[in-house]
Amino acid sequence: MSSLVKEDLEKKLFKPLSQNLYEFIQIELSVHDRYYLCVSVTKNEEVKIIIVKHYRIGLDEKYEVTKKWSLSDLQMIDGKEADTDNPFFDLHFKKVYSLEAYSCASKYSFARTVNKLNHAYLKKELQIVNFDSTYINDDSIWSSNNKDCLVLMRICFYAFNLLCLSLCPLPL
């Protein structure tokens, strides 16, 4: 489903603006409407962070940009608590915007994409705090292009280690 939404967003919103959509996550802003937090790159290689409202008129899907920032204006991404599985995070521009992602995995996916695009295009010092850095940095052993599979991969690794330890005989 998300690939269909991404394709629709690209076709109806980002291509007409001459931008490439790199990542989008669903965020919880309203009970009645659906919102997406998007990261795109313009033809001039400027990275944009955009909140898009998704609504339906009849059978037609519509998208409307509600907020737009440049990555160069982003000072910090605060994941609130690195040790708990929560979808809440703050984007620090001149003002702080508190957001709730659809899931913790999507929050990490967004942070990874912003971090990667920052290194590729801006190379500025961007603070990403209260995230488990193992899942954010590309130089990590757990790094992958499969994004949300990182958490599952690490859980499987720990489960396998526990299984091996539980099967080892204890010395008498």
Side-chain angles (χ1 to χ4, degrees), residues 85-165:
D85 187 18
N86 76 46
F88 302 100
F89 64 104
D90 291 340
L91 296 178
H92 292 250
F93 294 97
K94 288 180 181 172
K95 180 180 169 189
V96 176
Y97 295 88
S98 294
L99 301 171
E100 179 184 356
Y102 184 72
S103 67
C104 184
S106 63
K107 171 178 85 170
Y108 272 85
S109 178
F110 173 77
R112 272 193 306 275
T113 301
V114 169
N115 191 37
K116 184 190 297 183
L117 292 175
N118 178 51
H119 288 300
Y121 293 100
L122 287 177
K123 296 173 181 57
K124 77 168 194 167
E125 188 65 35
L126 177 64
Q127 293 182 350
I128 299 178
V129 298
N130 293 319
F131 281 89
D132 188 338
S133 62
T134 306
Y135 301 120
I136 297 295
N137 299 321
D138 279 340
D139 59 351
S140 155
I141 189 172
W142 302 106
S143 179
S144 169
N145 288 334
N146 293 334
K147 298 175 184 163
D148 294 335
C149 293
L150 297 175
V151 175
L152 182 60
M153 199 168 93
R154 190 163 187 192
I155 290 170
C156 290
F157 176 75
Y158 286 132
F160 180 74
N161 283 342
L162 288 173
L163 177 66
C164 289
L165 287 173

Side-chain angles (χ1 to χ4, degrees), residues 10 13 33 59 71 76 81 114 121 151 153:
E10 285 176 327
L13 186 64
D33 297 312
L59 296 175
L71 179 57
M76 179 172 64
E81 298 175 39
V114 169
Y121 293 100
V151 175
M153 199 168 93

Side-chain angles (χ1 to χ4, degrees), residues 7-23:
E7 187 178 304
D8 202 36
L9 273 167
E10 285 176 327
K11 183 174 86 175
K12 293 181 178 175
L13 186 64
F14 288 96
K15 291 297 180 196
L17 296 172
S18 299
Q19 295 181 19
N20 290 323
L21 177 62
Y22 273 80
E23 182 68 65

